[in-house]
Amino acid sequence: MKKFLFLIVMAIAVVSCKPPEARYPVSQSSGSYIDQSVEKNREMIAQEEDYIKQVMGENTSTEYITSADGFWYYYNNKSLDSLNTETPEFGDIVSFDYSISTIEGEAIYAEGDKPTREYAIDREKLFTGLRQGLKLMKEGETVTFLFPSHKAFGYYGDQERIGSNKPISAKVTLHSIKEEEQSNTETKEQ
């Protein structure tokens, strides 16, 4: 009986020392959902850009400029001062006003709805298109930007008046640019 009990204990010990086997998922995803989502977003962006180009084509009196960052703009008030060549760079503090409307021109946030804002270039939260657009401006200029939704408020909108995936137009007036070193010195003096 002792031999039989010993054999059972040994058999259990041998069987229990077996290395663990990998468990495989019941269903495997091939990543097709992500591929479909990417394709859907590309189509949506292409449709928005085509629509913006159509609206620009209807307004032949305005000279639109295409930005390297994927949006369009025109000058309402361009600086003619040949000495005024400075545009904001990383860390500079800019003071600006802006209004937002639909691509067709219907006001979403009219002039005066948003207070004058001070913004440290690329150091604070601001929607992508406006952040990139401010870097193109000089003091005293007013520029109207046409942003596809992915450069504006994207899928989530602004949680107030701008809905999901809405292209927008933003009219921006840049009042001042304070260089990073200058703004740091003023802060220390105060």
Side-chain angles (χ1 to χ4, degrees), residues 16-142:
S16 66
C17 291
K18 181 178 163 189
E21 292 182 19
R23 296 186 305 175
Y24 296 101
V26 175
S27 65
Q28 294 181 351
S29 176
S30 65
S32 62
Y33 172 76
I34 293 172
D35 294 340
Q36 290 172 350
S37 179
V38 167
E39 187 57 37
K40 182 179 175 184
N41 285 334
R42 284 183 182 155
E43 290 172 6
M44 182 185 68
I45 290 169
Q47 288 174 352
E48 286 180 12
E49 289 178 353
D50 288 344
Y51 181 69
I52 292 171
K53 289 175 185 175
Q54 177 187 344
V55 170
M56 289 188 310
E58 293 170 0
N59 189 356
T60 57
S61 63
T62 303
E63 182 181 334
Y64 291 94
I65 301 167
T66 303
S67 110
D69 294 313
F71 56 86
W72 298 265
Y73 63 100
Y74 64 89
Y75 288 93
N76 302 78
N77 179 25
K78 186 172 183 169
S79 175
L80 301 175
D81 182 3
S82 61
L83 300 176
N84 184 12
T85 59
E86 187 177 322
T87 57
E89 296 178 6
F90 179 83
D92 291 349
I93 307 297
V94 296
S95 174
F96 67 96
D97 287 316
Y98 69 104
S99 61
I100 297 176
S101 62
T102 64
I103 295 296
E104 299 84 13
E106 296 174 32
I108 298 172
Y109 292 103
E111 290 184 39
D113 282 357
K114 298 264 187 190
T116 298
R117 172 132 187 228
E118 286 200 349
Y119 167 71
I121 297 291
D122 291 336
R123 290 194 172 178
E124 296 177 41
K125 187 176 179 181
L126 193 65
F127 71 88
T128 306
L130 186 53
R131 188 172 62 235
Q132 294 167 336
L134 283 167
K135 294 178 196 176
L136 301 172
M137 298 178 69
K138 299 173 188 162
E139 279 187 4
E141 290 184 333
T142 301

